[in-house]
Amino acid sequence: MKCPHCNNELSEVPLCYGIEAPYYFYTVPEEKRTELIRDFCVIDEQHFFIRGHIEIPIIDSKEKFIWSVWVSLSEENFLKSNELLHVEGRENEKPYFGWLSTELSIYPITTLSLKTMVHTQEVGAVPLIELEQTNHPLAVEQREGITMGRVKEIAHLINHSQ
């Protein structure tokens, strides 16, 4: 498969991209950083983050495109999500409010601080992140889906901007 923008050969188009830590993790001095363990991050014992997935339907496909992102939670909701980490039935938990804490630079408008709802999934699955229904391009894509052409465009933008 060829990239439609630069004609470079792509062995396959990834359907998931992720960020290792919340945006804010990189903005504080090293000695101030606290814990970053898999899908959880705490900064200065006062900022709490959880990793989840924004799923975007791919039009005319059963596949989904996924952004693996970080969301800030209140301390109360962060501690509750940790308590329920291995508890069966946790998917029945009410969604938690959070702020998107990942900058997805391929969008023309910042993705930082978009309002979200964090939906806990069954044990072993990361939460699903639902964006507030706004006109932000990411929220529109989550709501309306994207074409496979857009998936290829995202691959191009990510692979050629690093």
Side-chain angles (χ1 to χ4, degrees):
M1 176 181 306
K2 288 195 182 282
C3 174
H5 301 280
C6 66
N7 253 1
N8 286 347
E9 196 66 34
L10 300 170
S11 58
E12 63 180 58
V13 179
L15 296 181
C16 182
Y17 291 96
I19 310 299
E20 288 184 30
Y23 174 83
Y24 307 102
F25 181 82
Y26 302 106
T27 65
V28 293
E30 187 74 36
E31 66 274 4
K32 296 282 185 181
R33 292 186 184 144
T34 54
E35 293 184 68
L36 175 62
I37 302 172
R38 278 194 62 181
D39 299 331
F40 299 96
C41 180
V42 179
I43 299 173
D44 296 333
E45 298 180 8
Q46 59 184 331
H47 303 285
F48 306 90
F49 304 90
I50 189 169
R51 185 196 314 251
H53 288 167
I54 296 174
E55 291 187 347
I56 300 175
I58 300 173
I59 298 169
D60 296 329
S61 171
K62 292 182 181 174
E63 301 277 355
K64 292 187 185 293
F65 179 84
I66 296 171
W67 288 112
S68 184
V69 298
W70 292 87
V71 173
S72 67
L73 294 178
S74 68
E75 181 176 11
E76 177 185 344
N77 287 338
F78 178 83
L79 293 173
K80 183 142 192 170
S81 69
N82 271 285
E83 288 171 15
L84 297 174
L85 193 57
H86 301 290
V87 175
E88 294 294 330
R90 70 183 194 159
E91 62 273 15
N92 297 317
E93 182 75 7
K94 288 183 180 175
Y96 306 127
F97 174 80
W99 299 97
L100 189 60
S101 301
T102 297
E103 179 67 90
L104 300 172
S105 60
I106 69 154
Y107 291 95
I109 306 166
T110 185
T111 55
L112 289 175
S113 299
L114 292 176
K115 293 179 181 178
T116 69
M117 294 303 289
V118 178
H119 297 268
T120 304
Q121 300 300 295
E122 63 277 352
V123 172
V126 299
L128 292 180
I129 309 302
E130 175 189 6
L131 296 167
E132 179 182 46
Q133 294 196 13
T134 65
N135 289 329
H136 188 284
L138 178 58
V140 171
E141 287 182 346
Q142 185 179 44
R143 195 168 52 248
E144 297 179 4
I146 59 177
T147 64
M148 189 52 79
R150 174 66 173 145
V151 173
K152 292 175 187 174
E153 177 184 7
I154 291 169
H156 170 79
L157 292 169
I158 289 175
N159 291 324
H160 297 300
S161 67
Q162 297 176 354

